[in-house]
Amino acid sequence: MTTSEKCKAAGLKSLAELSQITGRPVRTLQQWASVDPLFFEIVLIGAVHKKLFKFQS
């Protein structure tokens, strides 16, 4: 499953949306998914939570 597919499966529109929420470039997120999949998953879960509950930084 690609990083974009993981984002969509988690409830985001795209990897670009994850990038927007986290403030990290798409390429960085792709590298995290490749090098440290657990960390990427935790970031993804946090971003989905933030989107659902509309927490403001």
Side-chain angles (χ1 to χ4, degrees), residues 5-16:
E5 290 169 340
K6 289 178 184 178
C7 290
K8 290 176 184 175
L12 298 179
K13 294 176 190 172
S14 64
L15 182 57

Side-chain angles (χ1 to χ4, degrees), residues 3-4 7-8 11-19 44 51:
T3 52
S4 182
C7 290
K8 290 176 184 175
L12 298 179
K13 294 176 190 172
S14 64
L15 182 57
E17 184 177 20
L18 179 61
S19 175
L44 180 56
K51 178 182 177 178

Side-chain angles (χ1 to χ4, degrees), residues 15 23-35 39-40:
L15 182 57
R24 299 291 185 250
V26 167
R27 185 68 191 129
T28 298
L29 296 168
Q30 291 170 328
Q31 287 174 333
W32 287 352
S34 176
V35 174
F39 180 71
F40 175 79

Side-chain angles (χ1 to χ4, degrees), residues 36-57:
D36 194 347
L38 178 59
F39 180 71
F40 175 79
E41 184 179 340
I42 291 167
V43 169
L44 180 56
I45 290 166
V48 169
H49 189 271
K50 181 172 178 142
K51 178 182 177 178
L52 290 175
F53 295 99
K54 296 181 176 35
F55 284 126
Q56 300 297 317
S57 322

